Amino acid sequence: MPTPDDPPLKDAPIPDVLPAFVLTTTAVFPFDVVSVQVSRPRDVRLLEANPGDNVIVACLFPRGTDGDAPTSLDGLFPVGVACRVIHRMKLPSETMQVVFQGLRRIEAKEVLAADPWMRVRVEPVEPREPRGPEIDGLVYRCMEMVDELVRNEGSYPREMVDILRMNIAGAGRFADLVGAHVNLPLPVKRKVAVTANVRDRLKVVEDVLEEAIGRTRVEAEVGQRVKVEIDARQREAILRAQLRAIKKELGEEGGEAEVEDLRERLKAAGLPEDAEAAASRELDRMAGMSASSAEYHVARTYVAWLLDLPWNATSKGRLDLVKARAVLDRDHYGLDDVKERIVEFLAVRKLKKDPKGPLLCLVGPPGVGKTSLGRSIAEAVGRPFVRVSVGGMRDEAEIKGHRRTYVGALPGRILQALKKAGTRDPVFVVDEIDKMGSDAMRGDPSSAMLEVLDPEQNATFLDHYVDVPFDLSRVFFVGTANVLQDIPGPLRDRMEVIHLAGYTREEKFHIARRHLLPKAVGDNGLKPEQLEVTDEALRAVIDGFTREAGVRNLERLLGRIARKTARRVADGSATKVVVGPGDVEALLDAAPYHDETRAREPAVGVATGLAWTAGGGTVMFIETLAMPGAGRVHLTGQLGEVMKESADLALSWVRANADELGIDDAVFQRHDVHVHVPEGAVPKDGPSAGVTLVTALVSLFTEKPVRVDLAMTGEVTLKGRVLPVGGIKEKVMSAHRAGIRHVMLPEANRRDVKEVPDEVAREMTITFATDVRQNLAAALLSVVVPDARQRRRLETPPSAGAALPPPP
C-alpha cells in the first residue's frame, strides 16, 4: 500500500486542466487504488485519446444517487480526487477496465468541455493536518469503534485494525483509510471523499461508526433478550411478523395463506400418523421459505400428494355373486369355465374378512377379453376400475417412484393410479405383466412389483417419493398376460392363474352379433337400422378372414364394413345397406383363409402339426425334401434349439428303425435331408413337433403321402414313445378353425381334452397315441405316389445291386 511519504504520489504535479470521470458506482480516496469498469462512450473516448499508464485525470462524484453522470458543476460535488491511470484493459462490448491510483484532493472550478469527453479546470486542495486534543480524541474514538466493529461483525480481517493503528498519526489519512476499507454505504463514502476539512471528515466517520456500532449492539441485545425471555410460541409469532414484513418489502406475499390452507386440509384429512408427521414437517419448512423459491414448490407438491392419496377412502360396493355372474354374462359371451373360476374367487374374497389372498391373473392370447373382464369384475363388485400397463417397463422407479432429490420427481404409477381411483380398494388391472423388462442401471421392475402384489408385503408398500408406508392390501389386483412362462417365477408363485384359450367359431359369431357389430355401427356414426349384416355374411367374415384366438381382427373387419356403409349413407347413394355373404369379399377384398383340408392335397414329406404361441394355437406344416448328398441335415424356418434337437432325434429314430419301416439304410448315406417349417419370419421352438417331424421324414423316405385332414402334436423319444405336451385346448381349437376335423394327441393328454369346448369336441375326431408308430399308421396313406415328379429318387445306387429307374 502506498504511503503519504511516497514522493511520486505526494508531490506529483497536477495540471490545471484535466480530463474528468464521474464515478457513479464507487469512491476513490487519495493514495487509494480502485478498479472501475468504464462503459460510457464519453469515458471510453477519453481513455482512447489519452493512452499510456501515467495519465492524470480528475475523478468527480455526483450529488444524486440515481446513477446519472452529470456534466455540470451543479450536479457534482466541488471536491474530487486527482488520480493516475496505472492500468487499463479492453473488455467485450466497448467496455474497459481501468485502475485508478488516487493522488490528492482537487477542487473543480469550471467545466471546459463535455464532448467528446469531459474536461475541467481544477485547483489542488492543500492538505492540512490539524493537531490538538480534539483531533486526537476524534481519531481515538474512531479507532476504538472500528476495533469493536471488527470484533462484533467478524467479516473484517484483524490486520485491518493494525493497518489503521499504523496510520493513526495522520488524521486525514486515517479518515480516508476508514472510508476506503470499512463497509459503508456509497453515499457515506462519497461524503468522506469530498470533505476537504480533516476535522469535518473525522466527524463524518465518527457519526457513521457510531450508527454502525449502535446497530450491532442493539441487534446483540435484542437477540440475547429474545433468546432468554421469549418462549417458543412468542418467538414464532415475532419471527413470522418479521418474515411477513420482509416478504412485504420484497413483494413475496401470498405463501402464508396457502400454507394455512394446507394445514386446514391436513387436519381434516385424517392421515395415518407417519403421513401426517411428514406433511407437518414439510409445511413447517414451507412457512419459512419464499413462495417464489423452487424448494417451496417442491415441498408444496409433496404435501399435495400426501393429501390427495386415498389413505382411508373406501368404495361403497359389496360383493354380490349373483350380480357378478350376471355382469360377466352380459359383457362376455362364452368363457363359462373362466366366469365360474372368477365367481369362485370372488366367493372366497367375500367369506374372508382378511383381504389377503393370491392375485388373480388372466392368461391368454391377445383379444380374448382379459382387460375387459377386469372392468366387468370392477362393475360386479361395485369398485372403481384403474389400469396400468407394465409392458416394456424397464425402470424400477416407474413402480416405486423417484426420490424427491430428483428434479420433477413423482410417485410411481401404482400410487398415481390410486389417486386417480380416489379409493384405497379399487379393482386394479396390471396389464401385460409378462412383458416387464429389466435394466442393470435402472433396477428390476418385476422385483419391485413383488412388494406391490405380495399379500405379505403390500400392507406396507413404500414408494420412494412419498417415503411413507401405504396400505395396498385392500386393492383387488388383477394381472393379465399372454404367456405364463414369461412371468418371473416369484411373481407367478403369488398368482391364481385363469387361462383363456380363445373363442370358438360359434362364440365369435355371438360376440360379433351382440357386441362388436353394434359398437362398430355406433363408432362410425350410423344408426342400427342403416346397416344389416346377415348371419351368413357374419359367418363368412369369421371363416374366411379371421384365424385369431381373440376377436380384435374381427372387430377391425366389422369396423371396415361400417365405414364403407357410412360413406354410402353420407353421400346419399343408400339409406340402408344389407350385407350378404356375396358382398363380403367386395367389401373386404379376397378372403386370406380357406379350409386347409380342401386347399391342400396329400403330399409326400409334408405333415400337419399343431403349435401353441402367444397368440393362441396354430396349425403348422412341416416340409421335408431329400437331395443327393452325404447324409447332412438342413433345418430352416427360424427354428429354436429345442426344435432343432427334435429334428435330429426324429431322423435318428427313422434311421434306427429303417428296416421296420422298409427303408434302405443306404438312402441316408447318399442323400441330404432338408427340413423346413414355413413362415420363416416367425420364431418357432419347443418339443411338441416331434411326432410331426417323424411322420414327415417317414413319408419322405417311404414315398407314402400324409393325410391332410389329420393334425398331430406330441414329443417323441429315441425309443418312439409319445410324451405329453401343453396347450391342448388351444391346439385343438386352432385345428377346428383351420377346418381340420381329426387330431392325434399323446395318451397322457387325454385328461386335457375335457377343457375343449363341447361344440368343438362334437365336430372333432380325437385319437391318442403312446407310440409314434400309431401316428404313422393313422397318418400315412398306404398308396405309394407313382408320379416321378413327386418321387425323391431314394432307390439304392447301382453299386448296391439295384437298378436305377428309367428317367422320367
Side-chain angles (χ1 to χ4, degrees), residues 362-420:
L362 306 176
V363 178
V368 296
K370 299 184 294 295
T371 304
S372 60
L373 273 171
R375 195 181 302 274
S376 298
I377 292 172
E379 182 180 350
V381 298
R383 299 189 187 184
F385 172 82
V386 289
R387 170 186 169 273
V388 169
S389 176
V390 296
M393 186 179 291
R394 294 181 176 273
D395 191 351
E396 176 188 346
E398 292 280 344
I399 303 294
K400 302 195 68 174
H402 292 84
R403 301 189 186 277
R404 282 186 291 148
T405 52
Y406 293 99
V407 176
L410 284 174
R413 295 176 67 179
I414 302 300
L415 292 191
Q416 290 186 38
L418 289 180
K419 175 188 174 184
K420 179 181 178 182

Side-chain angles (χ1 to χ4, degrees), residues 272 274-275 278 302 306 311 415 461-463 465-470:
D274 292 344
Y302 175 71
L306 287 178
W311 299 92
L415 292 191
F461 171 69
L462 188 65
D463 185 277
Y465 178 84
V466 175
D467 204 25
V468 176
F470 191 94

Side-chain angles (χ1 to χ4, degrees), residues 718-731:
L718 282 173
K719 297 298 183 180
R721 293 180 56 234
V722 179
L723 301 182
V725 293
I728 294 299
K729 179 181 178 181
E730 291 85 354
K731 291 176 179 178

Side-chain angles (χ1 to χ4, degrees), residues 147-155 213 216-217:
D147 192 7
E148 183 178 351
L149 189 66
V150 170
R151 287 197 313 271
N152 291 344
E153 290 199 0
S155 59
I213 291 297
T216 58
R217 287 174 180 173

